[in-house]
Amino acid sequence: MFVPDQYREPVSGWMVDLMRKNPLAVLVSNGGPEGGPFATHLPVIKDPGMTEEWTADLSGASLLGHMNRENPHWAALEPGQVVLLTFTGPHAYVSPTVYEKSPAAPTWNFTSVHVRGVIEKIESPEETLAVVQSTVRSFEGEMGTGWDMTGSVDYFRSIAPGVGAFRVAVTGAEGMFKLSQEQEPHIRERVRDSFAQRQCSRHIETAKLMSDLP
């Protein structure tokens, strides 16, 4: 991903925060010359077994995910293969009207994190079940209503054979936080305020990030 210097992570931890709040990633890997690359949307979490601190480029981190084993992408994945995980955060269209100057051009403010790493396919049924349970714990704690999975563990175990769980050993990451940094401060404020006044959650979240810019 091409990231101009002014759009790089403005504050330490922004990439991790974006991934945590927007965990539905796209797993991308190479395919054959006929089928081309594979891309699968799937939930990704931090590996609960990861004890190391997050590094600046996320290298050394461990992430977990899972997909349907019937997905051709699963069969195409090879142990030790380099893959890409992309996470998309708040984004919004910027109309030139907000600049109150001419000439001007429209653009799109957006946030994204691209994570590179080496994939390990998890074949053990119990480890696969553990990945599913860890995913539930993570999302229920962060986004759910505190659902207790205890009564459904046997059901999870029955469907685990159809689940392809994996671990990604992160080798590096880049974050793109394009939030009108190229504009003069007063124009950036206009863009932020115009987003904040919208009813759309994407615009509101983008405005919040712009408010946090150093």
Side-chain angles (χ1 to χ4, degrees):
M1 177 167 62
F2 171 62
V3 185
D5 288 342
Q6 74 229 54
Y7 300 140
R8 292 193 175 276
E9 183 177 20
V11 177
S12 176
W14 275 40
M15 286 199 295
V16 174
D17 195 51
L18 184 147
M19 292 162 58
R20 181 178 58 82
K21 292 180 178 178
N22 304 274
L24 186 66
V26 179
L27 173 69
V28 182
S29 66
N30 290 331
E34 295 183 0
F38 287 92
T40 299
H41 294 259
L42 41 74
V44 174
I45 63 169
K46 174 186 174 184
D47 187 341
M50 176 182 156
T51 57
E52 301 84 354
E53 295 292 328
W54 293 99
T55 59
D57 67 349
L58 310 190
S59 58
S62 179
L63 303 176
L64 297 177
H66 64 278
M67 68 172 71
N68 191 323
R69 280 180 176 262
E70 293 186 5
N71 185 338
H73 196 171
W74 177 255
L77 289 171
E78 299 179 1
Q81 184 176 8
V82 175
V83 298
L84 177 72
L85 286 166
T86 68
F87 299 80
T88 301
H91 58 93
Y93 172 72
V94 183
S95 171
T97 56
V98 76
Y99 295 148
E100 298 182 10
K101 67 175 184 179
S102 184
T107 189
W108 205 288
N109 279 2
F110 69 93
T111 55
S112 181
V113 173
H114 286 195
V115 179
R116 300 176 304 281
V118 177
I119 197 163
E120 171 197 351
K121 296 172 82 170
I122 296 172
E123 301 294 352
S124 162
E126 287 305 312
E127 285 189 76
T128 297
L129 177 62
V131 170
V132 173
Q133 290 177 296
S134 293
T135 302
V136 171
R137 290 190 195 98
S138 177
F139 294 153
E140 277 297 319
E142 185 79 20
M143 306 170 181
T145 56
W147 175 66
D148 184 354
M149 75 176 99
T150 304
S152 297
V153 172
D154 286 341
Y155 171 67
F156 287 175
R157 187 171 280 109
S158 72
I159 63 175
V163 176
F166 62 86
R167 178 179 290 103
V168 173
V170 179
T171 57
E174 292 180 308
M176 178 85 158
F177 295 88
K178 183 179 179 295
L179 300 169
S180 297
Q181 294 97 320
E182 78 284 1
Q183 298 291 344
E184 297 177 23
H186 69 283
I187 293 180
R188 189 162 62 241
E189 288 178 7
R190 285 190 198 134
V191 175
R192 181 200 63 201
D193 292 345
S194 72
F195 288 167
Q197 293 167 12
R198 300 283 293 272
Q199 297 301 312
C200 172
S201 60
R202 286 190 296 101
H203 287 81
I204 295 171
E205 290 300 317
T206 305
K208 289 179 180 177
L209 282 178
M210 293 181 70
S211 296
D212 292 337
L213 283 172

